[in-house]
Amino acid sequence: MIRIGILGDIGSGKSYVAKSFGYPVFNADYEVSKLYQKNRKVYQKLKKLFPEYIYEFPIDKLQLSKAIIVNSLNLKKIVNIVHKEIRKELQYFLEKNKNKKFVILDIPLLLENKINKKKDILVYVQSKKADILRNLSKRKNFNPRILKKFKEIQLPLAYKRKISTFIIKNKFTQKSVKNGVRIILKII
């Protein structure tokens, strides 16, 4: 099984690119949403840390956002709790798909949380800032202050681009992404 990690800026289209490969995708954002909706253990841990923000199950992302805006350190605390559970889900995903030719890792903090392996193929999704902002503004509950806090805990984009094996230029068209994916799959 070859692991392909998808890197790029928040809102650059990483999830769309990941799905375009046509192989099993581990989407960490989706898994986090499931945790907030279904995992009472995560709820209890977050409620204990942030009783003034987390007060009902399932966890409301808006409540978490308020905790993050108040104090940047709260984001790191949340990430520490959530990523332990995400790692378990990732292990289950990898085991379940061990006989597949490729698996795609759509994990925003792939490098920052040292989830990647040396042999992983890294694909950087490059998009224009204006396109990214237009894409982000369409999201439900988009908050520029939260975006800024998340960017603060990420490695520089120039570094991610530099260490990537491939770059896909996402023009937010199906054609630009499909062509990039086709070329990568042909090479590997």
Side-chain angles (χ1 to χ4, degrees), residues 4-103:
I4 300 175
I6 309 296
L7 307 176
D9 201 356
I10 298 168
S12 63
K14 295 182 300 292
S15 295
Y16 180 75
V17 169
K19 284 186 245 169
S20 296
F21 275 89
Y23 289 93
V25 175
F26 182 81
N27 181 319
D29 287 343
Y30 172 74
E31 295 298 330
V32 168
S33 288
K34 271 189 1 192
L35 281 181
Y36 293 159
Q37 295 300 308
K38 298 178 180 177
N39 190 312
R40 287 197 176 269
K41 189 167 78 172
V42 168
Y43 164 71
Q44 292 298 335
K45 287 179 183 179
L46 290 172
K47 183 180 165 85
K48 187 175 178 184
L49 266 181
F50 309 111
E52 64 276 25
Y53 301 103
I54 308 298
Y55 41 83
E56 63 185 0
F57 184 81
I59 299 168
D60 183 348
K61 285 185 180 183
L62 210 54
Q63 295 168 357
L64 286 175
S65 297
K66 289 175 185 173
I68 294 165
I69 288 170
V70 168
N71 184 341
S72 293
L73 294 176
N74 289 345
L75 176 57
K76 288 184 181 177
K77 292 175 186 176
I78 293 166
V79 167
N80 284 339
I81 290 169
V82 168
H83 265 272
K84 285 178 187 162
E85 295 299 318
I86 293 302
R87 282 179 189 270
K88 291 177 193 173
E89 293 300 320
L90 174 60
Q91 290 306 57
Y92 171 73
F93 169 83
L94 293 172
E95 184 60 32
K96 185 175 113 185
N97 292 291
K98 66 183 177 190
N99 296 323
K100 302 288 185 195
K101 185 173 182 180
F102 300 105
V103 293

Side-chain angles (χ1 to χ4, degrees), residues 79-80 82-84 86-87 107-116 153 155:
V79 167
N80 284 339
V82 168
H83 265 272
K84 285 178 187 162
I86 293 302
R87 282 179 189 270
I107 305 173
L109 298 174
L110 180 74
L111 302 178
E112 292 82 351
N113 286 325
K114 298 174 177 50
I115 297 171
N116 63 304
I153 67 168
L155 291 168

Side-chain angles (χ1 to χ4, degrees), residues 120-173:
D120 287 355
I121 293 171
L122 300 176
V123 176
Y124 182 82
V125 179
Q126 182 176 311
S127 304
K128 291 180 181 174
K129 287 245 183 273
D131 291 339
I132 290 172
L133 286 171
R134 189 174 57 249
N135 192 26
L136 286 172
S137 66
K138 293 176 188 173
R139 290 185 183 178
K140 186 179 139 193
N141 298 330
F142 171 66
N143 184 327
R145 289 167 55 201
I146 296 293
L147 175 66
K148 186 176 185 285
K149 303 274 186 195
F150 271 97
K151 285 186 177 234
E152 288 170 4
I153 67 168
Q154 293 188 339
L155 291 168
L157 293 174
Y159 172 74
K160 290 181 177 186
R161 189 176 196 277
K162 182 181 175 186
I163 66 163
S164 293
T165 318
F166 298 99
I167 295 170
I168 288 184
K169 293 188 180 189
N170 184 8
K171 298 175 185 167
F172 291 92
T173 65

